[in-house]
Amino acid sequence: HERAITISVLDQVPTSKQQDIKVELTGKSPPTRRDVDEKRGVMVWETTLQPDEERQIDFGYRISWPAGKSVTYRR
């Protein structure tokens, strides 16, 4: 591109309604906003890129729960 452009990148992570199941964000790129449009787990990274600029978003998540508990992932 020949001029600066503003971009928004949306992604999501799992969420839990139970307090003893934790979802922790990992990585070096914290989101600009979380729970976008009041949707749990939806995140956005907003930035402006200059001409010929590249940027990498580094993120992930870790889920932990008590050893005696069984966890089922549902969409």
Side-chain angles (χ1 to χ4, degrees):
H1 47 90
E2 296 178 0
R3 58 181 165 70
I5 58 171
T6 300
I7 63 166
S8 297
V9 177
L10 286 109
D11 207 334
Q12 63 185 22
V13 296
T15 61
S16 174
K17 294 180 181 179
Q18 299 179 8
Q19 300 231 352
D20 56 348
I21 299 174
K22 306 291 183 196
V23 179
E24 173 189 2
L25 289 180
T26 61
K28 300 175 185 174
S29 305
T32 308
R33 291 183 291 137
R34 296 181 186 202
D35 298 335
V36 176
D37 296 333
E38 298 181 22
K39 295 178 183 171
R40 288 173 31 117
V42 177
M43 303 173 299
V44 67
W45 289 262
E46 298 169 316
T47 190
T48 299
L49 296 176
Q50 298 303 316
D52 297 321
E53 180 181 6
E54 293 181 13
R55 187 148 324 150
Q56 188 172 25
I57 297 173
D58 175 20
F59 92 102
Y61 60 88
R62 178 180 304 123
I63 301 173
S64 60
W65 60 90
K69 189 168 205 140
S70 174
V71 175
T72 303
Y73 176 71
R74 293 187 194 150
R75 286 182 159 221

